[in-house]
Amino acid sequence: MEDRFGRQINYLRISITDRCNLRCLYCMPQDGIATRPRDEILRMEEILRAAEIALQMGINKFRLTGGEPLLRKGVIPFIKSLALWPGVKDIAVTTNGVLLQQLGGQLFDAGVKRLNISLDTLDSEKFRLITRGGDFKQVWKGIEKVLEIGFQPVKLNIVALRNFNDREWVDFARLTMDYPLHVRFIELMPIGTSWEMAGDSFASCQEIKDQIEHALGELCPKPKVQGSGPAEYYTLSGAKGTIGFIHAMSNHFCADCNRLRLTADGKLRPCLHDQHEVDLRDALRTGAGDEKLRQLFVKAVALKPANHHLATGAPAAGRGMCQIGG
Ligand code: SAM
Ligand code: SF4
């Protein structure tokens, strides 16, 4: 599918649950976001039907996210079914890593080869603070386990937070010397609960890059890592992994946007930062045929804006990342 700005849309990010087992400060309020009643959340077979239509429309790359996707019952059989369809090129997962020790092997066998794992600090106490109770060791062991299993690439997503992890940016970069990890710094976006903290906590990718180069030497630009989307990659001399920067705010990447999102409650979302949504759930539940469902995908693609306006101060869209699927 091509949108009105000539972008090829071949990637669907599916939020398979709005629930989470962590409460990251920038993503969720303390008590969690009021999750949708269970019957408003798409059933796994409805998500599979949506993915089938997406595939018919030329979407061949899928990412499961959430909330925490590994919490969703039925996630492994879902991936197995998706992976069996001819034409599906890639299934990736974005996870907080809490359940990777238990589920890493099953995910790999089901057909996932690429993982993005969120990790904002390497310090156990700070990890507990930022996630409101998470166990760093549990996640780190999960990371070691998936490297051992052979996932490739394994990317670490680090939301850059001034006065929280700024003294660790260099340590994260150093990890790439010892591990084949792709560490990616993401600029904090003023969305959901981070709307208030974004001003004080924001740090730009340029600042992080300067700090790393000052401490560890020149970063050499790298060709894109598989499935790298909006990140820009570099490597340190002799490193096993790479260092990526996602300039979500300072230099946005909308011109290359190739994606649609499907929210856990069944809305197709043309842009992370735009309120427009196209309801797929009703159609799925009222027995709509392939043609009707395809039209809804076409409608969503037609609604993709040229770019988002977060950096120029426009208000962020109403839902938070954990609801839309970051
Ligand atoms: N629970 C999974 C996880 O944490 O990886 C998947 C969902 S989470 C919403 C997806 C990604 O969005 C995470 O890497 C998280 O750090 C990122 N994220 C959430 N809120 C953000 C914000 N305000 N700005 C930038 N990234 C954010
Ligand atoms: Fe949960 Fe991921 Fe949001 Fe953290 S970033 S609260 S792990 S959905």
Side-chain angles (χ1 to χ4, degrees):
M1 268 181 295
E2 188 174 300
D3 77 357
R4 62 206 162 105
F5 305 104
R7 298 173 294 199
Q8 289 300 326
I9 310 304
N10 61 2
Y11 179 28
L12 183 66
R13 294 173 75 103
I14 308 176
S15 172
I16 61 172
T17 179
D18 58 352
R19 286 160 203 264
C20 191
N21 43 5
L22 297 180
R23 294 279 178 276
C24 301
L25 288 177
Y26 52 79
C27 182
M28 282 227 188
Q30 170 91 52
D31 304 328
I33 285 177
T35 48
R36 304 257 155 185
R38 200 158 278 235
D39 65 335
E40 288 187 18
I41 298 298
L42 289 187
R43 293 188 291 274
M44 287 319 253
E45 60 272 21
E46 291 170 335
I47 302 178
L48 208 53
R49 172 97 169 103
E52 185 189 2
I53 301 299
L55 191 61
Q56 289 177 15
M57 303 299 289
I59 290 176
N60 52 22
K61 298 202 283 184
F62 298 88
R63 172 173 298 277
L64 307 188
T65 177
E68 175 46 41
L70 301 188
L71 278 182
R72 180 80 197 249
K73 258 202 186 137
V75 60
I76 301 291
F78 172 83
I79 293 168
K80 278 187 184 156
S81 308
L82 191 57
L84 283 176
W85 289 344
V88 172
K89 280 201 178 147
D90 187 37
I91 308 171
V93 171
T94 300
T95 171
N96 60 28
V98 170
L99 294 171
L100 278 178
Q101 284 182 83
Q102 287 106 293
L103 294 180
Q106 291 179 57
L107 276 177
F108 193 80
D109 294 343
V112 176
K113 300 294 172 264
R114 302 197 303 109
L115 282 177
N116 288 10
I117 305 166
S118 304
L119 187 71
D120 300 322
T121 173
L122 298 168
D123 176 289
S124 296
E125 182 50 24
K126 283 165 80 179
F127 187 79
R128 200 180 56 74
L129 282 174
I130 192 84
T131 59
R132 296 199 184 90
D135 176 358
F136 172 78
K137 274 203 189 119
Q138 186 181 29
V139 173
W140 186 254
K141 281 185 190 160
I143 292 170
E144 289 183 322
K145 165 123 194 206
V146 297
L147 286 174
E148 203 180 291
I149 291 172
F151 283 89
Q152 169 72 289
V154 177
K155 299 178 185 172
L156 293 192
N157 284 352
I158 303 137
V159 177
L161 296 165
R162 186 178 305 289
N163 299 325
F164 178 74
N165 58 16
D166 40 0
R167 297 203 176 164
E168 296 185 73
W169 297 337
V170 171
D171 299 334
F172 273 113
R174 253 193 221 107
L175 276 184
T176 66
M177 300 300 293
D178 299 327
Y179 297 88
L181 286 170
H182 303 281
V183 307
R184 313 187 318 157
F185 296 95
I186 304 175
E187 288 176 349
L188 178 67
M189 293 180 273
I191 173 171
T193 49
S194 62
W195 182 238
E196 280 157 28
M197 66 190 280
D200 292 338
S201 304
F202 179 81
S204 73
C205 284
Q206 187 59 50
E207 181 183 344
I208 302 167
K209 184 166 175 265
D210 290 347
Q211 205 186 100
I212 294 171
E213 287 198 306
H214 183 72
L216 302 176
E218 197 193 349
L219 287 172
C220 306
K222 262 292 258 192
K224 291 212 158 201
V225 176
Q226 194 200 348
S228 55
E232 167 188 293
Y233 282 93
Y234 296 85
T235 181
L236 286 165
S237 170
K240 293 181 178 158
T242 64
I243 300 167
F245 298 99
I246 302 184
H247 305 254
M249 298 297 294
S250 60
N251 176 15
H252 60 68
F253 33 73
C254 304
D256 296 326
C257 183
N258 62 346
R259 61 196 58 184
L260 285 179
R261 289 181 156 80
L262 178 62
T263 65
D265 59 346
K267 317 286 179 209
L268 276 176
R269 187 146 177 139
C271 170
L272 176 60
H273 301 297
D274 190 287
Q275 307 270 17
H276 284 106
E277 293 179 342
V278 173
D279 183 33
L280 207 57
R281 190 182 64 204
D282 253 16
L284 286 167
R285 290 190 176 172
T286 50
D290 287 12
E291 183 49 34
K292 169 74 189 158
L293 292 169
R294 281 198 294 263
Q295 277 168 18
L296 294 173
F297 272 84
V298 169
K299 188 172 168 190
V301 167
L303 283 169
K304 274 184 79 63
N307 47 264
H308 71 68
H309 301 286
L310 276 180
T312 49
R319 303 216 227 187
M321 285 289 260
C322 55
Q323 295 170 307
I324 303 165

